[in-house]
Amino acid sequence: MRTALSSVLLDAPRAAAIWFGLIGVVSLAVTGLLLRPRLFRLEVGTRIREAALPSPPDLREQRRDQERWAEEVMIAANRADTTARHRRDEWLVAQDEAEQAWRAYEAAEANVHRLSGAAGMPLPQTARTPAEYADRERWLHRAALDAYWRRELSVEQLSDVFAHRGWDPRRHPVEQELMLRRAVRDHLRNRQRAAREREKAAWRAAELAAASARSLHEEAVAALLPAVEEPNSLLPMPEPDAGEQTREIPAIAVGPTPVIAH
């Protein structure tokens, strides 16, 4: 019993020194983690991210895929530009046609007002003979045909004149001319309205084509820009100290679509 007790007493200082040493090491580690927790989180987070990120060959393959996609989008954007230019040219043509139709309608309306004012005057007296009626009919047919060739009457209106539907060839040429000018005005008014609708439709098509081209150009530029966002980390990254200088990503001016260098 004395021998065992003396052995324990002899080993007690050594065991105490070992325990105190272990406690000191643990205390230093805990104190370091408490004072500088960023070191541990940075190292562990970096290792986990490196393990999760793709390898360099994978990155090169992703970059090639991205460049191929950007090239396809640029081709589509160039085609959209061509379509937008064509739509704009069509709109300009439709706008010019609408303006010409409006001027023609205004001139026809002025003619109707002029002849309407002269209609109140007494008509010249002519002999009502079959030859006179035949001359009046020939005049009406010739005047209607001339107006048709000038695109002032439609085919339906010309057919009505020759079929005498709503037209009396026996009336005085002054009255027939007034009726003819009114028919011309109505036809030009309908044509002007149709031209205005075509101009509106062409404008909407040009706007849609231009918006599509802009969207494709923006998508092509975005596809060529390098990725600036870091992948999501499994561990929270340390916040920068207040005294540390931060960097900002410079703004990139979006201009013409860049071309991929092969």
Side-chain angles (χ1 to χ4, degrees), residues 218-231:
E218 292 174 358
E219 186 174 355
V221 171
L224 287 176
L225 292 179
V228 295
E229 297 182 357
E230 292 289 340

Side-chain angles (χ1 to χ4, degrees), residues 58-245:
D58 295 336
L59 292 176
R60 287 193 295 270
E61 183 64 25
Q62 290 179 2
R63 183 59 183 175
R64 284 194 294 268
D65 294 340
Q66 186 179 10
E67 290 178 352
R68 284 195 295 268
W69 167 248
E71 186 176 2
E72 293 176 359
V73 174
M74 282 192 297
I75 293 174
N78 293 333
R79 293 177 178 173
D81 281 339
T82 303
T83 302
R85 286 193 295 270
H86 290 167
R87 293 294 179 267
R88 178 174 175 80
D89 293 339
E90 292 174 357
W91 168 68
L92 292 175
V93 172
Q95 186 183 38
D96 185 64
E97 291 178 352
E99 292 177 355
Q100 291 180 3
W102 174 255
R103 288 193 294 268
Y105 166 70
E106 285 185 330
E109 183 69 23
N111 289 332
V112 170
H113 282 294
R114 177 177 56 82
L115 293 177
S116 297
M121 300 178 62
L123 297 176
Q125 296 295 327
T126 56
R128 299 184 178 181
T129 61
E132 175 66 19
Y133 288 150
D135 289 340
R136 293 181 180 183
E137 183 177 5
R138 283 193 297 270
W139 183 92
L140 175 61
H141 291 175
R142 183 172 62 254
L145 191 60
D146 292 341
Y148 170 76
W149 289 120
R150 291 193 303 267
R151 300 181 60 191
E152 294 177 351
L153 285 180
S154 64
V155 177
E156 292 79 8
Q157 290 174 314
L158 183 63
S159 299
D160 292 339
V161 170
F162 278 88
H164 302 163
R165 288 190 294 266
W167 295 84
D168 186 1
R170 296 174 301 177
R171 303 187 68 169
H172 196 276
V174 175
E175 296 176 333
Q176 292 178 352
E177 185 178 2
L178 178 58
M179 293 181 61
L180 187 62
R181 289 299 100 192
R182 287 173 178 172
V184 168
R185 178 199 59 187
D186 295 340
H187 173 67
L188 293 180
R189 179 175 54 195
N190 294 333
R191 196 173 70 177
Q192 187 271 333
R193 291 176 179 174
R196 184 177 58 184
E197 293 300 323
R198 290 194 300 271
E199 189 268 339
K200 290 181 179 179
W203 168 256
R204 289 192 294 267
E207 283 290 298
L208 290 176
S212 177
R214 287 193 300 267
S215 177
L216 287 173
H217 275 291
E218 292 174 358
E219 186 174 355
V221 171
L224 287 176
L225 292 179
V228 295
E229 297 182 357
E230 292 289 340
N232 295 328
S233 176
L234 299 179
L235 292 179
M237 294 300 296
E239 298 293 336
D241 294 338
E244 293 184 358
Q245 183 179 2

Side-chain angles (χ1 to χ4, degrees), residues 32-54:
L33 290 177
L34 292 177
L35 294 179
R36 301 297 299 275
R38 297 174 53 198
L39 296 178
F40 176 75
R41 289 188 305 193
L42 180 60
E43 181 179 359
V44 175
T46 301
R47 291 180 179 179
I48 295 178
R49 284 200 312 277
E50 289 178 353
L53 288 176

